[in-house]
Amino acid sequence: MADDQGDRISTFIARLTDALGPKGVSTDAHEIDPHISDWRGRWKGSTPVLVKPASTEEVSAAMTLCAAYGLAVNPQGGNSGMVNGSVPQGEVLISLKRMNKVREVDVLNDAMTLEAGVILTRAQEIAEQNDRLFPLSLGAQGVAMIGGLISTNAGGVQVLRYGMMRDLVLGIEAVLPDGRVWNGLRGLRKDNTGYDLKHLFIGAEGTLGVVTAATLKLFPRPAVKETAWVTVASPTKAVELLQLAKAASGGAVTGFEIVPQLGLQLVLRHIPDTRDPLPSGLPWRVLVELSLPREEGARDMMESLLADAIGREIVADAVICGSEAQKAMVWKIRENIAVAERAHGKALKHDVSVPVSRVAEFMERGAALAHTMSPGADVIAFGHVGDGNIHFNITPPPGADQERFVEQDGLPLSKAVHDLIASLNGSISAEHGIGRLKRDELAWRKSAVEMDMMRAVKRALDPDGRMNPGRVL
Ligand code: MLT
Ligand code: ZN
């Protein structure tokens, strides 16, 4: 029986190699290795074969063969996901990394069409070369690829102004589980012609098909960014500052990130060449970024915003970054909190969101829960206040076995944090997705009606359940 299966896989690989050529297929363990574990080294998987199509036609050929042989498929981009969605568990692994062409830049339409394997930093550069902005911006941008960013509906640090990946996509091209190609690459801002199918694939984490290309929105490049680093006494003050900043800048706030004192200290300890721009005993910092179309008046706008906030006792102290190097430093601190936290040790992690109006309440009640249920534990709550998305992480109490805490002893606390989130009408996964990590919890957290609708969509597009099985649903 096992031999029969082995023979089938060998024939499959031989036919795949005929269709894609030797460059498109690999069974070399050395080459496969980086594709079968996640970047944090938390999950390890396996695959019988790595498929590397260079075109949509080749993806289609590979998917048709997978369908013929009844084989499950794991599509992979930069493999920088956070929820164990992109590491294969025995499925045929289709990497989109060779599909990295720029198909079109339509400047007048403020749109560009890129293949799935284009890395995010390159997408940003292409926009810039055309005097435009592609605003998606996140820590993994040097490895994350367009297809994966679409499949996971990536977020990051400019969502409050430009939205998540879903908001940046005009059209997509996808290969269905049976190998058919859907060309939905329409660069239209208005298209009311029935169900908007692209949205099914955005955030589907590869469970409905393989995204092979996308038409993405471009924006005017801001002429100037004003960046400030401020100290506040509480998350309540941070949310008050957000309202003030939005009103004072006419909606030009592109970054609004909260940093706790402990997060800052961990960055200063673990990340080389970092320094505190505004030493203070206060428990919170906020990074405020305004993006403006004109240099003239920009600094005045930030100065008067901060003066007003200090006058109203919302902000205690503030520094405006006077150079690109200073801006880079405050962003470096912010972007490295998760990295520094990992260097510090393990933590119970929660990527949660609530309406912005309830962020402060969540942070206070969440911290109280942590301190009651796990005395001595530290809370490192940071991130995208402007989106209502907080990374709410809890370190093991002193003396606790770290592994045991995150895998076992801390789980009742995690459940309590998510219960609190549910009671505030929030989400247990704001931007990192579901993957295998939160699949079981999703099934009982969502209503039966919502799960039924999701399963119906899955059955309609992937009746054999071969696309990234075990993720999301
Ligand atoms: C961040 O905003 O820094 C990340 O989404 C958090 C993380 O990597 O855990
Ligand atoms: Zn984040």
Side-chain angles (χ1 to χ4, degrees), residues 138 155-157 257 334 351 382-384 389-391 431-432:
L138 39 82
V157 291
E257 300 281 321
R334 162 59 191 94
D351 163 39
F382 66 96
H384 323 292
N389 172 195
I390 299 298
H391 299 298
E431 62 172 2
H432 294 167

Side-chain angles (χ1 to χ4, degrees), residues 141-189:
Q141 60 194 19
V143 285
M145 295 174 189
I146 293 300
L149 292 161
I150 290 175
S151 297
T152 56
N153 185 26
V157 291
Q158 300 212 70
V159 171
L160 81 163
R161 170 74 176 275
Y162 299 101
M164 294 187 59
M165 191 58 162
R166 182 181 301 287
D167 303 294
L168 305 176
V169 175
L170 289 171
I172 66 163
E173 177 190 80
V175 178
L176 304 186
D178 60 11
R180 284 180 299 162
V181 177
W182 172 49
N183 185 339
L185 290 173
R186 301 175 196 121
L188 303 175
R189 259 111 185 141

Side-chain angles (χ1 to χ4, degrees), residues 185-232:
L185 290 173
R186 301 175 196 121
L188 303 175
R189 259 111 185 141
K190 286 189 157 183
D191 179 17
N192 257 344
T193 52
Y195 300 148
D196 197 340
L197 296 173
K198 65 176 179 284
H199 286 300
L200 291 180
F201 294 86
I202 304 171
E205 300 185 27
T207 59
L208 299 179
V210 181
V211 174
T212 46
T215 302
L216 303 168
K217 289 183 193 169
L218 296 172
F219 295 82
R221 283 179 65 200
V224 58
K225 287 187 175 187
E226 287 293 340
T227 312
W229 180 257
V230 313
T231 54
V232 292

Side-chain angles (χ1 to χ4, degrees), residues 39-40 82 139 156-157 257 334-339 341-342 349 351 382-384 389 391 393 431-432:
W39 60 281
R40 287 181 296 187
M82 313 283 288
V157 291
E257 300 281 321
R334 162 59 191 94
E335 296 280 15
N336 277 291
I337 300 173
V339 181
E341 188 195 278
R342 265 196 299 284
K349 289 170 173 275
D351 163 39
F382 66 96
H384 323 292
N389 172 195
H391 299 298
N393 300 343
E431 62 172 2
H432 294 167

Side-chain angles (χ1 to χ4, degrees), residues 61-127:
M63 294 285 279
T64 306
L65 274 171
C66 288
Y69 282 78
L71 295 172
V73 177
N74 167 239
Q76 192 181 82
N79 196 15
S80 55
M82 313 283 288
V83 289
N84 197 7
S86 58
V87 172
Q89 299 295 333
E91 302 91 1
V92 172
L93 172 58
I94 300 192
S95 165
L96 280 300
K97 64 183 176 183
R98 287 178 69 218
M99 284 200 62
N100 56 9
K101 291 189 205 60
V102 179
R103 296 218 187 140
E104 188 188 18
V105 180
D106 185 349
V107 176
L108 274 187
N109 192 36
D110 285 317
M112 61 180 176
T113 300
L114 308 179
E115 290 188 343
V118 172
I119 287 173
L120 178 53
T121 43
R122 184 156 165 251
Q124 294 163 345
E125 280 160 21
I126 294 160

